[in-house]
């Protein structure tokens, strides 16, 4: 009877009192979320990005020195420029940066002299607008377009007014056209420029008469008044306007050519006469984008955190293509520096983002995801290898051959814009060759992996982490081959996908480093970081069996032992040993700060772990822990993340989790259930269909799922399929303060594990 009444309420949409949003979704976003970071401790390593969704360029205020990865730090009190930015993380520098800075009174061009003091009280960080009132009386505003920005500088009355353009850390060229009120030029900085000698061409257009001008050199600080053009290392320009002027500045840039930069300016900003038009257009684009997930609740704090994270989940990967005069996409490849037709995307590390960023995109942006598949194969043709860590060319960072995860995941979800045989052949090369320098392309240790069944340590660094991630990648290839009837690759990779078993030590109950002769690396301490692991320890890597949690459970001794091991993660001390890192790295400090035992949500390896309670037949524990992580480790503030945000991954974890879902095993079509954060969430698909997640009686205490229906039918499973979500419909959950230990516990209720289904094919 209770179940019947519950279904009745769901059917007629009695969702509880007063849940409509008090503001538009975009105005909940705080782009300063996660900016309070430094080398030793990260609360996100983000910067106050002004950009359109997945746009080619973003813009940011710059507090750090030219070339510093910490381009904006909340603790700083002065800004030295507003720059075109592409950075994925503070741990990398940027590429193709140039900056603009308003200067009042005396002309100061260099990055120290021109820096202006500000306070956060006089600062606004929204996706469509960054604005700041400097202590010196200048107001600066930035609004985004896809390949440029519209800025506005208001100078204090009566004071001389300058705008300084800084050519940043590499070669640059400037040409001033005083009567045209323009500066054109290029910058050539970042790893891509060093490697290819490539350029980013820019156009800067002012709406006020230029009274005086000159060039300058940021290596010497010298200025040359009246000079129209210069070219060389760190060359820049300055222009002067009438005292007390308000100057609007339109700027756009191109990786293809100076002419294309003009085209980008004309097509994206040409019809915007006033700054407000650009700002308001960007606001509408973002509000429409963020309204794709409309949440209803009365917890304003959680709503602000949700939309701030959703914003961060909507920046990476970036478009790397431009549109020709006819509107067709083309790009200058970061791989071979040649012009190609089609779509291209970059600025993401799959080690981070295969986990949740792309599975979220599959739901919200399947068209873009389909284009992304083609771009990965284009990378293979241009570079020789599938992408792994793109910034914008292959950066060779981290481990794994995770491009196959994206292919398998897209195919499983019906995004079939690519030839699966081509993807599998590319992956086969990846898995059976050493690859070029750097650990990410190819598979160093592949012979040992195929013959011994694991990568030996210390012969190869990070050997056990690699064995685990390669075994998952091989399952992805197996699964893509299985789904596409490709018996050749299915046989090859089906043999390797259980290799995770070869680095499990049953005596100690952990994945461990293993010597070439088969014995375990001694001494062993599960809290010791590095060595055979990557940015983590044995407590974090035990769970990296995405495709076979049931197999992992069997290794550990069954459901009870599996769940008890997960419990221990939270109950043991968060003490750690620095291991081969030699000193404390920020991920260790963040685990300690989180104070959840060995649960290190500030880094990727363990981020899926709480959802594995579903695979152990204890879904209520997944529900409780997922909610605890959401409410304890995230906020909308400058301290908003428990570690590096990492190209949308840590945000996408939150967005999916807030819907009560998570992508434990990309490559399946499943989203595993947790505990939704809001009383009601409506996801609107690209084609307009709506999927509603109702959580009756939800609160910060009522985090447990007591009962569930999907489209009116009782649901005992602890996962949904992609098709169930994108078809539209309604998931209705009855929330409770007490766990329901009888729901979702049967083996047939549990999410995917390959060892449960492989013998039934
Ligand atoms: Ca990380």
């Amino acid at each position: 009877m209770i179940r019947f009444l519950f279904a009745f309420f769901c059917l007629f949409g009695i969702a509880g009192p007063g849940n409509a949003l008090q503001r538009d979704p975009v105005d909940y976003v705080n782009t300063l979320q996660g900016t309070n970071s430094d080398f030793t401790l990260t609360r996100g390593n983000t910067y106050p990005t002004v950009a359109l969704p997945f746009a080619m360029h973003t813009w940011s205020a710059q507090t750090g020195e030219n070339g510093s990865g910490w381009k904006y730090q909340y603790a700083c009190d002065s800004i030295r420029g507003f720059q075109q930015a592409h950075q994925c993380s503070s741990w990398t520098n940027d590429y193709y940066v140039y900056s603009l800075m308003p200067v009042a009174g005396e002309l100061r061009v260099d990055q120290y002299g021109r820096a202006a003091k500000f306070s956060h009280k006089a600062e606004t960080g929204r996706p469509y607008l960054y604005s700041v009132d400097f202590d010196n009386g200048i107001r600066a505003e930035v609004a985004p377009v896809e390949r440029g920005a519209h800025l506005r500088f208001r100078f204090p009355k009566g004071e001389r007014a300058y705008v300084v353009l800084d050519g940043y850390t590499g070669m640059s060229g400037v040409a001033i056209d005083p009567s045209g009120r323009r500066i054109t030029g290029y910058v050539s900085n970042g790893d891509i420029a060093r490697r290819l000698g490539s350029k980013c061409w820019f156009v800067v257009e002012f709406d006020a008469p230029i009274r005086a001008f000159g060039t300058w050199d940021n290596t010497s600080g010298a200025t040359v008044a009246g000079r129209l053009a210069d070219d060389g290392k760190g060359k820049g320009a300055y222009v002067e306007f009438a005292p007390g002027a308000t100057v609007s500045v339109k700027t756009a840039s191109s990786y293809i050519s100076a002419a294309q930069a003009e085209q980008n300016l004309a097509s994206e900003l040409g019809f915007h006469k006033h700054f407000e038009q650009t700002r308001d257009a960007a606001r509408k684009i973002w509000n429409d984008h963020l309204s794709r997930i409309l949440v209803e609740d009365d917890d304003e704090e959680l709503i602000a955190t949700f939309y701030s994270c959703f914003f961060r989940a909507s920046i990476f990967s970036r478009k790397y293509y431009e549109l020709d005069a006819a509107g067709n996409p083309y790009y200058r490849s970061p791989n071979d520096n040649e012009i190609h037709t089609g779509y291209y995307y970059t600025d993401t590390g799959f080690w981070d983002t295969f986990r949740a960023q792309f599975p979220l995109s599959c739901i919200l942006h399947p068209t873009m995801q389909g284009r992304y598949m083609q771009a990965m194969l284009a990378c293979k043709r241009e570079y020789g290898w599938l992408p792994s860590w793109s910034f914008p060319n292959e950066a060779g960072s981290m481990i794994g051959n995770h491009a196959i995860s994206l292919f398998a995941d897209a195919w499983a979800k019906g995004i079939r814009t690519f030839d699966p045989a081509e993807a599998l052949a590319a992956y086969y090369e990846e898995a059976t060759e050493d690859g070029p320098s750097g650990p990410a392309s190819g598979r160093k240790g592949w012979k040992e992996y195929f013959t011994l069944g694991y990568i030996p340590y210390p012969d190869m660094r990070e050997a056990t982490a690699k064995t685990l991630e390669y075994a998952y990648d091989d399952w992805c290839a197996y699964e893509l081959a299985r789904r596409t009837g490709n018996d050749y690759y299915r046989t090859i990779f089906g043999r390797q996908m259980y290799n995770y078993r070869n680095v499990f030590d049953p005596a100690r109950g952990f994945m461990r480093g293993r010597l070439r002769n088969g014995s375990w690396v001694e001494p062993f301490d599960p809290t010791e970081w590095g060595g055979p692991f990557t940015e983590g320890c044995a407590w974090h890597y035990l769970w990296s069996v995405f495709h076979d949690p049931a197999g992992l459970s069997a290794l550990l001794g069954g459901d009870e032992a599996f769940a008890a091991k997960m419990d221990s993660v939270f109950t043991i001390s968060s003490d750690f040993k620095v291991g081969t890192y030699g000193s404390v790295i920020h991920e260790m400090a963040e685990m300690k700060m989180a104070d959840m035992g060995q649960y290190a949500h500030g880094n990727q390896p363990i981020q899926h772990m709480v959802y594995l309670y579903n695979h152990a037949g204890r879904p209520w524990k997944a529900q409780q822990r997922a909610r605890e992580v959401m409410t304890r480790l995230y906020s909308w503030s400058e301290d908003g993340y428990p570690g590096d945000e990492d190209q949308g991954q840590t945000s996408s974890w939150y967005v999916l989790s807030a819907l009560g879902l998570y992508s434990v095993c990309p490559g399946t079509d499943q989203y595993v259930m947790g505990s939704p954060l809001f009383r009601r969430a409506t996801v609107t698909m690209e084609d307009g269909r709506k999927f509603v997640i109702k959580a009756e009686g939800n609160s910060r205490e009522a985090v447990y799922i007591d009962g569930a229906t999907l489209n009116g039918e009782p649901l005992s499973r602890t996962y949904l399929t992609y098709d169930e979500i994108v078809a539209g419909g309604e998931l209705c959950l009855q929330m409770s303060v007490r766990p329901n230990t009888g729901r979702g516990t049967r083996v047939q209720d549990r999410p995917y594990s390959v060892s449960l289904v492989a013998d039934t094919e």
Side-chain angles (χ1 to χ4, degrees), residues 351-352 398 535 586-587 602-604 644 646:
W351 186 79
D352 301 290
M398 302 310 289
E535 293 180 356
H586 71 99
E587 286 92 348
N603 206 19
Q604 280 66 34
D644 284 347
D646 284 332

Side-chain angles (χ1 to χ4, degrees), residues 303-381:
I303 295 171
T305 305
F306 176 80
Y307 282 114
S308 296
C309 284
F310 189 12
F311 161 72
R312 291 263 165 224
S314 308
I315 297 172
F316 304 98
S317 305
R318 292 197 179 89
K319 295 170 184 172
Y320 202 80
Y321 61 88
E322 300 169 54
L323 302 176
D324 67 16
N328 297 312
Y330 73 136
Y331 62 96
R332 180 183 293 280
S333 168
N335 304 301
D336 61 10
N337 207 23
E338 299 292 327
I339 305 288
H340 301 267
T341 57
Y343 296 98
Y344 201 83
Y345 300 85
T346 189
D347 294 350
T348 187
F350 294 158
W351 186 79
D352 301 290
T353 53
F354 84 85
R355 300 162 199 263
Q357 165 76 7
F358 286 101
L360 175 63
S361 262
C362 285
I363 295 173
L364 295 175
H365 314 295
T367 301
M368 183 175 75
Q369 191 73 0
R371 291 170 179 169
Y372 204 100
M373 299 303 111
Q374 296 164 347
M376 289 203 294
L377 290 172
C379 178
K380 165 70 180 166
R381 289 190 291 272

Side-chain angles (χ1 to χ4, degrees), residues 486-564:
N486 191 327
D487 288 340
Y488 177 69
Y489 289 123
R490 174 183 165 160
T491 305
I492 290 174
F493 293 113
R495 282 197 298 259
Q496 317 300 322
M497 65 190 183
Y498 294 109
N499 277 355
Y500 68 87
R501 293 170 177 162
N502 300 329
V503 288
F504 180 79
D505 173 11
R508 299 299 297 270
F510 282 102
M511 304 291 177
R512 291 183 60 181
R514 197 164 186 186
L515 299 170
R516 188 177 282 271
N517 70 11
S519 54
W520 301 109
V521 173
E522 300 290 354
F524 174 67
D525 181 335
T527 68
E528 183 172 319
W529 286 51
F533 301 107
T534 303
E535 293 180 356
C537 65
W539 275 111
H540 308 141
Y541 273 91
L542 177 57
W543 320 105
S544 290
V545 190
F546 311 94
H547 57 297
D548 198 14
L552 174 62
S553 175
L555 290 178
L556 285 163
D559 287 349
E560 196 165 327
F562 185 30

Side-chain angles (χ1 to χ4, degrees), residues 115-138:
K117 295 252 195 253
F118 77 109
S119 100
H120 295 299
K121 286 194 200 79
E123 184 186 36
T124 300
R126 297 272 182 250
Y128 57 91
L129 172 71
Y130 175 88
S131 76
V132 61
D133 288 302
F134 288 109
D135 294 357
N136 65 14
I138 296 176

